Amino acid sequence: MTADLQKGRMDPRACLLGLLALFVAGKCSYSPEPDQQWTLPPGWVSLGRADPEEELSLTFALRQQNLERLSELVQAVSDPGSSRYGKYLTLEDVAELVRPSPLTLHTVQKWLLAAGARNCHSVTTQDFLTCWLSVRQAELLLSGAEFHHYMGGPAETHVVRSPRPYRLPKALASHVDFVGGLHRFPPTSTLRQRPKPQVPGTVGLHLGVTPGTVGLHLGVTPSVIRERYNLTAQDVGSGTTNNSQACAQFLEQYFHESDLAEFMHLFGGSFAHQASVARVVGQQGRGQAGIEASLDVEYLMSAGANISTWVYSSPGRHESQEPFLQWLLLLSNESALPHVHTVSYGDDEDSLSSAYIQRVNTELMKAAARGLTVLFASGDSGAGCWSVSGRHRFRPSFPASSPYVTTVGGTSFQNPFRVTDEVVDYISGGGFSNVFPRPSYQEEAVAQYLSSSPHLPPSSYFNASGRAYPDVAALSDGYWVVSNHVPIPWVSGTSASTPVFGGLLSLINEHRILRGLPPLGFLNPRLYQKHGEGLFDVTRGCHESCLNEEVEGQGFCSGPGWDPVTGWGTPNFPALLKTLINP
């Protein structure tokens, strides 16, 4: 939907009076994001001020309505004990609920029109407005902002950002949550390629699992995943439903269809699969393939085998746009979406403004209300670590810490060359949010862990009352990936475990749809009610944290039941299917 600011046909005198009021109010301004950190990420450099006539695309997050009611509806449609369970809202239902007030729409549009904003586009829910302005106009509109060009990241990405905070007229304080495209830089991958484990007596090992070497492998491949998680050759999509899944990429990386075809040729011979992506949303660049982009697609499509797959790809965006924010806008503008979305993206909670983090959480709540299963990687820094006033604390990640997503941690095989029980992968992100309180669905599980774990870190390191994550886990260590026609071994990170778990949930959705049941939707309330039924409990190992004398690099440790390292555990597919197939 396009919001043409010229179509309002307002009376010129009323318009001038309104603009005068805004101008006067502008003498008293406020900062929507006073707590937004601004530091140049490592590896980025400034290329100088942007030209005053250069065009920018900025996104204005408009204040929404009825968020308490939206939260109640998410609980109702996601709780198996509710009469509304599975009766998800349509995008139009969500729009009717959260759409900004007429006063907000009128006030913001009038303000932007006066500033010379052009080609403004809204979304179906009308709570975002993306407009084009020149740098000169944007710096007048957003008092204090000063736009510069920056370059950085592995792909030498170019962005336009402001190193200085912006302010808005106080008259807009109840109408605008924040403005996107000023401060946050594109994320960087935390994916690692680890050295091959050195274990004696490995003669005769093969890629995957082959007859005569049952249980032995030289790295994780689809056949290893299928053996460990008890999938048979029949555990694939039927190809007869409208079931679909998606992964989203924000790293200025691309996947290549030829790599996917080669990957399936090498590793997909034992199960039915699709060798091409059904739809790319965004633009696929023509540069070299990225390992993370390749990993996401290859393992979502081999775990969720033979299911239609979409890829959300951020390349081709304008330099002043934030790729993760643009993905959220796409979700608010498409009425028919894949049922499962896997996302390997995260930022430190403390690096984001309160306005931004709360609004993104609301966008994830909107997705949950619509019955989307959204999975985020828990991160690859264990409990994390940062220093606050000279004292160390663990450092939670967002959106992993959102109460409206299912967060996936990571595990390793106990024996790196055998399909064995799993232990904690020391990088597996996990902990407790400093922003979001513990949601009711996990109250019992988290309280049990806190009261029974023999290895809790000092209480000053974490917020015991916060939303705890991850919720589940899967293998995150030692994957084979095909990228730029080359098989690459020992790729590791929760960027691997997340698409694997998502693909298996897509297979369960397939069974539900064939039975006439709604898709799983927001999984957490059901997952916690079932106390991890259908999952392998991971009870050995701890993840990394602060390297100081007090905790000596150790964060939280796994244990029986739920824990903030591997959640409820890793999938045992037939048991998980049985747990989640019932209405």
Side-chain angles (χ1 to χ4, degrees):
M1 180 177 62
T2 300
D4 185 345
L5 301 189
Q6 307 292 345
K7 286 183 181 175
R9 295 184 181 176
M10 289 179 277
D11 179 271
R13 288 168 298 178
C15 186
L16 284 171
L17 286 171
L19 293 178
L20 179 62
L22 274 179
F23 175 76
V24 172
K27 296 296 183 183
C28 299
S29 61
Y30 79 105
S31 174
E33 303 183 80
D35 50 347
Q36 175 64 52
Q37 274 194 11
W38 201 96
T39 52
L40 198 58
W44 287 80
V45 295
S46 173
L47 302 178
R49 286 290 300 268
D51 186 284
E53 302 310 315
E54 185 176 339
E55 294 286 298
L56 298 177
S57 172
L58 298 175
T59 298
F60 300 84
L62 276 58
R63 186 68 48 84
Q64 299 152 312
Q65 300 191 97
N66 303 313
L67 297 186
E68 284 190 16
R69 177 60 181 154
L70 180 65
S71 176
E72 292 168 1
L73 287 169
V74 169
Q75 177 65 24
V77 301
S78 308
D79 180 359
S82 165
S83 60
R84 287 209 57 165
Y85 179 64
K87 297 175 182 176
Y88 304 125
L89 279 65
T90 65
L91 177 60
E92 289 68 30
D93 293 334
V94 173
E96 190 67 29
L97 198 63
V98 305
R99 182 181 293 124
S101 69
L103 177 61
T104 290
L105 293 170
H106 178 74
T107 303
V108 175
Q109 289 182 3
K110 189 166 58 174
W111 173 62
L112 290 170
L113 178 63
R118 298 172 298 285
N119 299 325
C120 289
H121 295 271
S122 187
V123 292
T124 302
T125 47
Q126 293 183 257
D127 47 4
F128 286 108
L129 200 56
T130 300
C131 297
W132 288 88
L133 302 98
S134 71
V135 167
R136 187 193 311 278
Q137 290 168 330
E139 290 181 351
L140 286 171
L141 184 75
L142 308 169
S143 174
E146 187 179 275
F147 289 93
H148 293 244
H149 281 275
Y150 297 91
M151 182 180 74
E156 295 192 337
T157 305
H158 286 254
V159 300
V160 177
R161 294 290 186 269
S162 170
R164 296 176 55 188
Y166 67 98
R167 301 181 68 82
L168 298 179
K170 272 194 177 173
L172 295 172
S174 59
H175 303 300
V176 177
D177 287 336
F178 70 88
V179 183
L182 279 90
H183 296 317
R184 288 163 287 273
F185 281 75
T188 55
S189 175
T190 57
L191 206 61
R192 311 179 186 191
Q193 189 176 8
R194 293 182 183 163
K196 170 183 168 183
Q198 297 300 312
V199 177
T202 58
V203 177
L205 297 185
H206 300 276
L207 294 184
V209 178
T210 58
T213 60
V214 175
L216 298 176
H217 65 87
L218 263 180
V220 176
T221 64
S223 59
V224 171
I225 287 167
R226 296 180 82 82
E227 180 183 352
R228 169 57 188 156
Y229 298 141
N230 292 322
L231 282 85
T232 69
Q234 286 69 50
D235 290 319
V236 296
S238 66
T240 62
T241 70
N242 64 350
N243 191 17
S244 57
Q245 57 190 0
C247 57
Q249 303 169 347
F250 315 114
L251 291 170
E252 205 76 21
Q253 283 195 4
Y254 321 120
F255 78 95
H256 288 174
E257 290 277 8
S258 58
D259 287 337
L260 176 61
E262 177 69 11
F263 177 86
M264 291 300 187
H265 174 73
L266 284 173
F267 303 120
S270 63
F271 55 91
H273 58 266
Q274 297 184 9
S276 62
V277 167
R279 181 177 173 189
V280 175
V281 183
Q283 295 182 11
Q284 268 291 94
R286 296 180 181 175
Q288 283 202 321
I291 294 179
E292 178 136 7
S294 304
L295 171 78
D296 285 346
V297 175
E298 290 165 6
Y299 281 91
L300 180 61
M301 293 186 68
S302 55
N306 212 36
I307 289 174
S308 177
T309 302
W310 296 19
V311 175
Y312 287 87
S313 184
S314 64
R317 59 179 175 74
H318 185 265
E319 290 180 355
S320 59
Q321 289 177 342
E322 298 178 34
F324 179 64
L325 187 58
Q326 295 308 304
W327 175 70
L328 293 173
L329 266 67
L330 287 170
L331 296 188
S332 280
N333 212 31
E334 285 265 359
S335 56
L337 289 169
H339 301 308
V340 173
H341 296 254
T342 75
V343 189
S344 302
Y345 158 83
D347 271 316
D348 297 322
E349 270 189 352
D350 58 273
S351 74
L352 302 168
S353 73
S354 176
Y356 176 84
I357 212 170
Q358 293 292 347
R359 177 56 185 265
V360 169
N361 192 55
T362 298
E363 297 308 303
L364 297 169
M365 196 193 328
K366 285 160 59 179
R370 295 172 62 190
L372 303 182
T373 304
V374 182
L375 292 90
F376 274 86
S378 69
D380 299 335
S381 302
C385 186
W386 65 318
S387 180
V388 186
S389 303
R391 286 196 57 82
H392 287 97
R393 293 197 70 183
F394 294 159
R395 195 172 203 179
S397 175
F398 179 80
S401 65
S402 166
Y404 295 104
V405 304
T406 299
T407 304
V408 185
T411 60
S412 302
F413 281 125
Q414 189 170 328
N415 180 327
F417 289 116
R418 286 188 176 272
V419 179
T420 59
D421 290 344
E422 293 160 77
V423 296
V424 168
D425 185 348
Y426 67 92
I427 65 166
S428 179
F432 295 77
S433 174
N434 290 321
V435 175
F436 302 105
R438 185 190 306 166
S440 59
Y441 61 73
Q442 65 171 191
E443 183 66 47
E444 180 187 345
V446 178
Q448 172 66 24
Y449 175 82
L450 290 172
S451 65
S452 64
S453 175
H455 302 293
L456 277 182
S459 60
S460 61
Y461 277 71
F462 65 100
N463 172 30
S465 63
R467 149 55 163 156
Y469 69 96
D471 305 297
V472 293
L475 286 163
S476 57
D477 185 21
Y479 278 68
W480 281 88
V481 178
V482 174
S483 191
N484 299 303
H485 306 286
V486 178
I488 301 169
W490 307 114
V491 176
S492 301
T494 53
S495 297
S497 55
T498 306
V500 165
F501 208 103
L504 300 189
L505 292 180
S506 291
L507 294 181
I508 294 171
N509 271 339
E510 184 85 359
H511 285 268
R512 290 180 62 87
I513 292 167
L514 288 170
R515 290 192 180 194
L517 299 171
L520 288 166
F522 175 44
L523 189 61
N524 290 11
R526 183 170 189 154
L527 186 70
Y528 283 81
Q529 281 182 24
K530 293 289 186 179
H531 297 95
E533 191 178 324
L535 298 165
F536 292 118
D537 194 6
V538 179
T539 59
R540 292 185 57 189
C542 310
H543 63 183
E544 62 187 0
S545 74
C546 301
L547 288 169
N548 62 2
E549 292 182 3
E550 197 168 16
V551 296
E552 297 180 331
Q554 181 174 293
F556 297 99
C557 296
S558 63
W562 179 91
D563 57 68
V565 192
T566 60
W568 287 107
T570 64
N572 178 4
F573 183 74
L576 189 61
L577 174 62
K578 185 178 178 182
T579 299
L580 297 179
I581 192 65
N582 298 318

